[in-house]
Amino acid sequence: MERLLYRRIYGGNNELQQVLLTIGLTFVIIALVNYGFGPTIKRIPLPEILSGSVSLGSKTIPMHRAFVIGLGAVTILGLWALLERTNFGVRLRAAVDNPAMAEALGIRTERLYTAVFALSTGLAALGGVLGAELLPLDPYYAIRYIVLFLAVVAVGGAGSILGSVVAALTLGILDTAGRYLVPNFGEFFFSAALILILFRWPNGFFHRRAA
């Protein structure tokens, strides 16, 4: 898909085209999965090592949730180190900010984009597998939560890992607190917070600007 589709729309300020293409492909994949496996919800059995609980003083949390939290933290730190502390990250930031100049300096931007596409796909698959026990798994699994994922990126700021982490925690806490304190309002607090934040910070909390 990266070679046949996405590579044709790289370059320029066309992030929206890439998002729309991804959403379109998601609908196609949903239709294929729905046709092949049916629309029923699937249960994913946890391995025995993740089926217990972890004690946190006066409270306990399921082992699986603790594992997801820990692996999420490791993934965040790993991505930050990859982008900010390695030669690969320097080349990638240069290729994103100014592709023409990066190519003129000898950076193979096409290979970088392919590597990042593969890494992103792997991370998406990892998140989907880890969340399969926490969220209902059916053919519409991806599209049901894609608005939340896009909201996190929009609020955090494109190109900022720290921004995505802060946005995810902020929106998640507001959404959970709103549902717990005023359950009749449903997703009102999440949507209201999203509107207010983007009104105050249109480019997100930590928008990365090209040099």
Side-chain angles (χ1 to χ4, degrees):
M1 287 194 296
E2 193 275 337
R3 286 181 175 272
L4 295 177
L5 300 176
Y6 286 92
R7 188 169 294 186
R8 299 175 183 272
I9 58 175
Y10 285 156
N13 298 318
N14 60 353
E15 291 87 354
L16 180 59
Q17 294 182 21
Q18 298 179 37
V19 172
L20 293 176
L21 175 59
T22 302
I23 294 175
L25 289 173
T26 302
F27 278 110
V28 172
I29 295 173
I30 286 173
L32 293 174
V33 173
N34 196 18
Y35 178 81
F37 298 95
T40 58
I41 296 177
K42 306 295 183 182
R43 299 294 302 174
I44 305 297
L46 287 175
E48 185 176 351
I49 193 174
L50 297 178
S51 59
S53 60
V54 178
S55 176
L56 299 176
S58 60
K59 296 185 178 181
T60 60
I61 62 173
M63 177 68 75
H64 177 248
R65 290 179 181 267
F67 176 75
V68 171
I69 294 172
L71 188 56
V74 171
T75 302
I76 292 169
L77 291 175
L79 284 175
W80 176 83
L82 177 66
L83 295 179
E84 302 292 339
R85 292 292 185 266
T86 66
N87 185 52
F88 175 84
V90 172
R91 290 172 177 267
L92 176 60
R93 296 199 306 274
V96 171
D97 290 343
N98 196 325
M101 181 60 70
E103 290 182 356
L105 294 174
I107 297 176
R108 303 290 295 274
T109 57
E110 289 188 354
R111 290 187 176 181
L112 276 176
Y113 294 153
T114 301
V116 171
F117 188 88
L119 175 62
S120 303
T121 305
L123 290 174
L126 176 63
V129 171
L130 292 176
E133 176 62 22
L134 305 175
L135 306 170
L137 183 61
D138 59 20
Y140 301 94
Y141 176 69
I143 205 68
R144 182 180 292 112
Y145 304 104
I146 197 170
V147 174
L148 301 179
F149 307 151
L150 295 176
V152 166
V153 175
V155 171
S160 173
I161 294 177
L162 175 61
S164 294
V165 174
V166 172
L169 291 174
T170 301
L171 294 175
I173 291 172
L174 288 174
D175 183 48
T176 302
R179 291 173 184 270
Y180 178 78
L181 297 175
V182 192
N184 291 334
F185 278 81
E187 299 180 358
F188 170 80
F189 288 99
F190 177 88
S191 301
L194 181 61
I195 292 172
L196 293 175
I197 291 172
L198 291 180
F199 181 78
R200 174 60 180 83
W201 294 279
N203 294 318
F205 289 145
F206 301 91
H207 177 66
R208 181 190 290 275
R209 293 178 175 85

